Amino acid sequence: MAVPAAPTLCSERFGSGPPRLYVGVAGGRLVGQHEDTGRMSSSLSSTLSAFASTITGALATQAVLKGVGVGDGSASVAAASLTWMLKDGTGMIGRILFAWMKGTHLDRDAKQWRLFADLLNDIAIFIEIVAPFFPAIFTLVVCISCIFKAVVGVSGGATRAALTSHQARRDNMADVSAKDGSQETLVNLAGLCTGLLLTPLAADSTLLTYLLFFLFTSLHLYANVRAVRSVVMETVNRGRLRILLEDFLREGTVPSPPSVNSREPLLPVLWERERLILGAPLHRVVGSTYELKKATENNTKNYLLGVHKKKGEVCVSLREGSGSLDVLQAAFHAELLFLILNRDLSEFPMEHRKLTDLQRNARAEMNDRLWGLVSDTHSVMDELWTPLLRGVSSNGWDTQREQLGKEEWRGRWGLVKWE
């Protein structure tokens, strides 16, 4: 006969670590035990990742130095200097261009871009290791590698700041950043010492170089995937918002942050066109007085929605003074529109009949802007928002902040009462 588990009497946690559960045992003593979360800690994963990356970086440095002529008596100092300057210059250009193109995406998808940076860093290191085998285009190859490393520097550095802010649960970001830096320095020092032992052995052996690279790169990628999965963000971004809404419409309940974080994508989408423009200028939402009237019809909220059916996008204009709850509601509303326009609604029993009717009417409507659908979904959103917000708040989601990648345009409307 199975012995029933002792009930938990109280619990505690240190920072964002796993909870320690206290149970009563014979004699009236309290015994603490850590709850098994099934995940490797982010700190341990990051330690393994940094250690492996330091060693593969040492192998790459050795290959690049060999490629520019170190140890070759016939090599030109001027040619080596020119190669190095071109390499650094292309890296600077790559850093500027990437920050311009993707800078606004790094906050909202910090975990995904962090993993992308580590993956791209491994690719850059591999390119540097094979570069000496292509002497005719060596400069071009190392310039490409340096562009990749520039992207790594921007995305890795920016997302590290975002993740450090998430870990600073007591508004002690400086303390967390200092300790994280010290830990990384210690790990890099250990990796450097290991590299000093391994690189002389691999200096004259291509096979051993590749073997060490693939061994430590595999460890690096494994540790990074586990590190990303172990981080639980309570703020809502676009990927987590989509999972929240779909689960709510499917089951009538809001999932917890650990459940949603375990299901969000591991890597960012690089080239997909934006479907949702939050904080769009008014001219992208409405283009005439008729459209402005239709956008405000049945709408007392702090945002205006405009659908472009052919483009497959929803533009949202936010009112001046709108807060995080308004932005969250607007994003949920836009995602609801995407579900109605693009998904099979049979898997969503909540409000199924009403949503199915809206989908049928939208597909029959010839107008690209679908103002009838926009007006009708305001009523649906009014019914869904209160229980949805209650579930989001009660399940530990942060409603005071969001990471939805909104733009900075804010508008004013309702200045004239329509006839």
Side-chain angles (χ1 to χ4, degrees):
M1 181 177 176
V3 178
T8 301
L9 301 178
C10 51
S11 66
E12 65 181 353
R13 71 169 70 232
F14 182 80
S16 58
R20 175 183 289 174
L21 311 179
Y22 286 91
V23 299
V25 296
R29 293 184 301 112
L30 275 178
V31 175
Q33 55 191 16
H34 282 293
E35 181 180 3
D36 182 15
T37 61
R39 296 194 302 267
M40 183 188 294
S41 74
S42 175
S43 179
L44 176 58
S45 300
S46 298
T47 298
L48 290 175
S49 170
F51 178 77
S53 182
T54 301
I55 295 175
T56 54
L59 297 173
T61 300
Q62 178 179 261
V64 171
L65 291 175
K66 186 186 295 184
V68 297
V70 173
D72 185 355
S74 63
S76 165
V77 174
S81 300
L82 182 61
T83 298
W84 212 266
M85 287 187 288
L86 287 172
K87 181 174 78 74
D88 289 348
T90 52
M92 294 174 189
I93 294 172
R95 191 176 296 115
I96 294 168
L97 289 176
F98 179 75
W100 171 64
M101 293 171 62
K102 295 294 184 180
T104 55
H105 295 196
L106 300 178
D107 271 315
R108 79 181 193 205
D109 296 319
K111 294 195 297 180
Q112 287 81 357
W113 282 106
R114 181 69 183 181
L115 183 59
F116 172 79
D118 288 311
L119 177 61
L120 193 62
N121 186 59
D122 290 334
I123 295 173
I125 288 174
F126 178 72
I127 291 174
E128 289 182 345
I129 288 176
V130 301
F133 296 100
F134 303 94
I137 55 170
F138 176 80
T139 301
L140 175 63
V141 172
V142 295
C143 284
I144 293 173
S145 169
C146 203
I147 291 174
F148 286 0
K149 285 195 169 183
V151 173
V152 171
V154 174
S155 57
T159 54
R160 180 175 181 173
L163 292 172
T164 300
S165 176
H166 162 73
Q167 293 165 344
R169 297 305 180 100
R170 292 177 291 146
D171 294 326
N172 57 336
M173 186 170 174
D175 180 33
V176 172
S177 181
K179 289 175 179 175
D180 182 56
S182 298
Q183 175 181 303
E184 185 172 1
T185 301
L186 179 61
V187 174
N188 288 340
L189 181 60
L192 180 63
C193 294
T194 306
L196 287 173
L197 297 175
L198 294 178
T199 49
L201 299 176
D204 299 317
S205 174
T206 303
L207 178 61
L208 183 58
T209 299
Y210 287 152
L211 181 63
L212 290 172
F213 170 76
F214 286 113
L215 173 65
F216 285 104
T217 297
S218 299
L219 176 62
H220 181 241
L221 291 175
Y222 170 76
N224 273 299
V225 170
R226 296 299 297 267
V228 166
R229 282 302 188 204
S230 67
V231 175
V232 177
M233 308 283 282
E234 293 87 7
T235 51
V236 177
N237 67 0
R238 297 190 182 189
R240 293 190 279 273
L241 178 137
R242 188 174 302 119
I243 297 172
L244 281 170
L245 180 61
E246 290 182 5
D247 277 19
F248 179 73
L249 293 176
R250 187 181 295 114
E251 302 169 7
T253 58
V254 174
S256 64
S259 172
V260 173
N261 277 260
S262 67
R263 288 182 282 159
E264 67 176 326
L266 279 174
L267 291 172
V269 178
L270 298 179
W271 308 117
E272 184 181 46
R273 188 173 61 86
E274 291 282 356
R275 319 183 303 158
L276 169 60
I277 294 89
L278 268 175
L282 278 169
H283 69 82
R284 295 194 65 174
V285 180
V286 293
S288 65
T289 54
Y290 168 78
E291 290 187 346
L292 178 58
K293 185 176 181 179
K294 298 300 288 185
T296 56
E297 187 177 279
N298 200 24
N299 177 15
T300 58
K301 305 175 185 66
N302 285 328
Y303 60 84
L304 299 180
L305 282 143
V307 176
H308 296 272
K309 186 179 179 180
K310 292 180 181 177
K311 294 181 181 178
E313 70 179 24
V314 175
C315 297
V316 180
S317 181
L318 299 170
R319 192 193 294 270
E320 281 186 7
S322 57
S324 60
L325 289 179
D326 299 310
V327 177
L328 281 172
Q329 186 178 15
F332 274 116
H333 193 161
E335 192 60 40
L336 180 66
L337 284 168
F338 285 124
L339 286 179
I340 293 171
L341 292 173
N342 303 309
R343 293 287 294 276
D344 177 8
L345 299 177
S346 60
E347 59 178 302
F348 303 118
M350 192 168 182
E351 300 287 345
H352 175 69
R353 178 176 297 180
K354 187 175 293 185
L355 295 180
T356 303
D357 290 341
L358 291 176
Q359 186 178 68
R360 188 185 307 112
N361 295 337
R363 289 176 176 174
E365 192 171 340
M366 302 301 293
N367 191 335
D368 178 56
R369 300 307 308 276
L370 301 178
W371 288 114
L373 174 65
V374 171
S375 178
D376 290 340
T377 53
H378 276 295
S379 301
V380 176
M381 200 64 211
D382 288 336
E383 295 177 16
L384 294 178
W385 179 239
T386 299
L388 179 57
L389 179 60
R390 187 186 306 119
V392 167
S393 302
S394 63
N395 275 281
W397 291 97
D398 186 352
T399 58
Q400 301 305 310
R401 297 182 301 133
E402 35 74 27
Q403 296 293 351
L404 292 166
K406 58 186 180 296
E407 297 183 15
E408 297 303 318
W409 291 96
R410 298 294 181 271
R412 297 172 61 203
W413 51 88
L415 304 180
V416 175
K417 184 173 289 188
W418 298 108
E419 294 294 335

